[in-house]
Amino acid sequence: MTDTKRLAPRGAASAAVLLLAGCASLPSSGPTAKEIVRATAPDRNPIGMRIVALNEGALGQMVAREGAADASLPALAAVARPGRNDVVGPGDQLDIGVFEVGVSLFGASRASTDGFDPSAQGQRFPTVTVDRAGTIRLPYAGTLQVAGKTPNEIAAIIERAYRGKSQTPQVVVSVRGNLSSTVFVSGDVRKPGRLDLSLQNERLLDAIATAGGATAPTPDMVVRFTRDGVQIEERLDRVRAGSPDDLVLVPGDRVELIRSPRSYVVLGAANRPSQVQFEQSDLTLAEAVARAGGPNDNVANPRAVFLFRYDPPAPAQPGVATPTAAEPIIYQLNMLDPASYFLAQRFPMRDKDVLYVSNAGINRTGKFIGLINQLFSPFVAARTVTGR
């Protein structure tokens, strides 16, 4: 019995030493601030990440870099060009009427003494379709080139063709089926299909509205616009009505809406670790932290809230070596500093950002003490029962 009593404290001491050695491997939701700092040391940092304390200077540099990167992206306005939607093209269907007096190609000849014959006749042709070559063929007029002409210009062409064959021919042309002056709206809209253009000069947002609007909130949508073989994508919430990006449509344009929600990931000692969607045009760091429920009071280190992202390279400056590729940056927010809350209100979140709330270093000590208590509680209980 004496040997057992002597061995128990020695065993407990040995277990304590082993637990102390393995304290760093206790369960945790992620690294502490010190471990993140150590990971940025040159000998442990193969991807070249660095920590930037979020202050006024760092915020200004970040906004300038991202502004330059955004400005370098092609905008919808880059493909703006004038176009006509009042002309006829291949596939269009025309209604053509010829009105005659006196000598007639399509009816009996009648004489008129005062230049006007009240019995003037009209001939309406069956619907005529413009062929691939942009021509139509009419009796006594032959083949006429009409592509790229307005209905009034086509009427004048037909009148010239009948001049000398009919007395004072007058022609009326109207478009029955419009295929050439159309745009196509597809994707995540409620009523995809073909939209006929009119003399009102419909714009991009007009076409989307006519198609029933997007099937998801505007901040979650991307516009894929195709014109003259050039394709450009831009988020729908950046297109303002009447702005240069709200393009005036021309025949042949294609508009596709794609649902592509932006999101960021919350990890570590936050109250609600999760993937969170933006659900608004401009989301700030302060709003992102609030959506995550803020740091967990029991386990978090509020001095070390980190945002992981790839920042675009800084604008080139003469004589200054600057990175040419995106740089892995870790922005650190100290939530115990009141000024940080003002900075966080101006810090824009980006798609696929990772927001990490670091664990307080004391957590592992607390877990270790709890584990020691669980380990030694049987001995304490046994001595209490036996009275020894």
Side-chain angles (χ1 to χ4, degrees):
M1 182 64 69
T2 302
D3 292 340
T4 303
K5 289 181 181 180
R6 291 176 180 175
L7 288 174
R10 293 177 182 177
S14 300
V17 171
L18 292 174
L19 286 171
L20 282 171
C23 184
S25 62
L26 288 171
S28 174
S29 59
T32 63
K34 290 183 179 180
E35 290 169 335
I36 293 176
V37 171
R38 283 198 297 267
T40 60
D43 58 336
R44 302 185 181 185
N45 188 10
I47 65 174
M49 59 185 177
R50 62 187 178 95
I51 296 177
V52 175
L54 186 54
N55 53 38
E56 192 70 37
L59 178 61
Q61 292 178 7
M62 184 273 295
V63 171
R65 279 198 304 270
E66 297 204 350
D70 288 344
S72 66
L73 296 175
L76 294 176
V79 295
R81 68 168 176 84
R84 297 187 63 178
N85 53 24
D86 60 343
V87 297
V88 168
D92 287 348
Q93 296 178 327
L94 306 179
D95 278 342
I96 302 175
V98 180
F99 298 87
E100 306 170 285
V101 294
V103 178
S104 173
L105 283 170
F106 306 103
S109 299
R110 293 179 172 83
S112 175
T113 58
D114 58 0
F116 174 74
D117 188 344
S119 61
Q121 297 187 62
Q123 173 67 33
R124 193 168 294 278
F125 294 106
T127 300
V128 179
T129 302
V130 182
D131 65 17
R132 291 182 180 273
T135 64
I136 59 174
R137 185 173 179 82
L138 298 178
Y140 306 108
T143 301
L144 305 174
Q145 184 71 37
V146 298
K149 308 293 185 182
T150 66
N152 287 340
E153 291 171 339
I154 296 172
I157 292 172
I158 298 173
E159 287 174 359
R160 288 195 296 269
Y162 283 145
R163 194 168 296 156
K165 301 181 181 69
S166 173
Q167 183 176 342
T168 319
Q170 296 191 25
V171 179
V172 176
V173 178
S174 61
V175 179
R176 172 187 288 268
N178 184 4
L179 293 180
S180 61
S181 292
T182 58
V183 298
F184 297 88
V185 184
S186 61
D188 294 313
V189 293
R190 290 183 173 85
K191 295 185 295 183
R194 188 194 307 268
L195 171 65
D196 293 342
L197 298 178
S198 71
L199 298 180
Q200 296 295 320
N201 292 327
E202 288 85 356
R203 291 179 174 266
L204 170 62
L205 294 183
D206 299 331
I208 294 174
T210 303
T215 59
T218 300
D220 292 343
M221 305 303 296
V222 170
V223 179
R224 178 179 292 164
F225 188 88
T226 306
R227 172 177 287 179
D228 302 330
V230 178
Q231 190 175 91
I232 295 180
E233 293 185 1
E234 189 165 346
R235 298 207 72 87
L236 181 57
D237 60 353
R238 294 191 175 186
V239 181
R240 306 301 181 190
S243 69
D245 286 334
D246 189 16
L247 294 168
V248 176
L249 300 176
V250 299
D253 287 343
R254 293 182 177 271
V255 180
E256 182 182 5
L257 257 62
I258 304 169
R259 188 172 185 272
S260 179
R262 292 174 293 175
S263 64
Y264 64 97
V265 174
V266 182
L267 299 173
N271 278 304
R272 290 195 296 273
S274 60
Q275 182 181 13
V276 185
Q277 293 190 6
F278 277 33
E279 297 180 349
Q280 65 187 68
S281 299
D282 300 308
L283 184 70
T284 67
L285 177 57
E287 293 167 328
V289 173
R291 289 189 182 185
N296 188 314
D297 290 342
N298 297 321
V299 296
N301 178 5
R303 295 180 183 272
V305 176
F306 297 100
L307 185 120
F308 293 73
R309 71 159 51 146
Y310 278 96
D311 262 358
Q317 298 180 5
V320 179
T322 57
T324 58
E327 184 181 8
I329 302 293
I330 307 173
Y331 288 98
Q332 180 176 355
L333 178 69
N334 179 4
M335 297 192 67
L336 294 184
D337 180 6
S340 66
Y341 290 84
F342 292 99
L343 296 171
Q345 291 180 55
R346 295 159 47 204
F347 189 101
M349 295 290 291
R350 288 278 179 172
D351 188 26
K352 303 300 183 290
D353 278 348
V354 176
L355 182 62
Y356 175 75
V357 181
S358 67
N359 289 267
I362 195 66
N363 292 340
R364 292 179 180 174
T365 303
K367 289 180 180 179
F368 168 73
I369 293 173
L371 194 58
I372 291 295
N373 288 336
Q374 292 180 10
L375 179 65
F376 289 115
S377 58
F379 295 101
V380 176
R383 294 188 63 178
T384 302
V385 171
T386 59
R388 297 179 181 177

